[in-house]
Amino acid sequence: MAYKLILPEENSVHLIFHVSLLNKKVGNVVIVSSILLEVGETGMIIICHVAILDVKLMKKDKKVMVVGLNQWSNSFHEDATWKDLEKIQLQFSRILHRFLRYFQNSVDS
C-alpha cells in the first residue's frame, strides 16, 4: 500500500512512500517539528557538522585519541555522536583546525 502526501509545491520531499518503509514506533515520546528537513536534489537529507558539544580523551587499541560529541544539522540534540576528531577534521578541516590547536595547547599545559 502506498500513500501520497499533499505538501507545498516548493517542497523537495518525495510525495509518495510505501508503508513497508515505515518503522514501528518505539516508546511513548512524541517529537513534533514544524520545520521540514533540508534535502538535496536527490531527495537525501542534508547533514552538516554544526558544533562540538564536548570533548574527551578515549583509549582505543592502546592508543589515546581525542573524541568530540558532534552536533549535526537536521537532527536533535540527543542525536549527537562521539567521533574521532582527527577523522572529523579530514571532513571539516576548516572548522576543527583552530579547535584542535586550542585543545592540544590546553592538554600540553
Side-chain angles (χ1 to χ4, degrees), residues 34 37 44 52 56-57 69 80 84 93 96 101 105 109:
S34 60
L37 299 178
M44 299 295 291
I52 298 172
K56 66 181 179 180
L57 296 176
L69 183 61
D84 178 358
S93 59
L96 290 176
R101 187 174 45 197
N105 290 339
S109 48

Side-chain angles (χ1 to χ4, degrees), residues 13-14 30 42 51 55 59 68 83 91 102:
V13 175
H14 198 280
V30 176
T42 61
V55 176
K59 186 175 180 181
K83 298 285 184 185
Q91 294 174 325
Y102 169 80

Side-chain angles (χ1 to χ4, degrees), residues 20-56:
S20 66
L21 298 175
L22 299 175
N23 294 328
K24 178 181 177 185
K25 180 177 177 343
V26 178
N28 295 324
V29 177
V30 176
I31 300 172
V32 178
S33 175
S34 60
I35 301 170
L36 291 175
L37 299 178
E38 187 178 349
V39 296
E41 292 179 13
T42 61
M44 299 295 291
I45 297 172
I46 297 173
I47 298 175
C48 300
H49 188 265
V50 174
I52 298 172
L53 305 175
D54 195 5
V55 176
K56 66 181 179 180

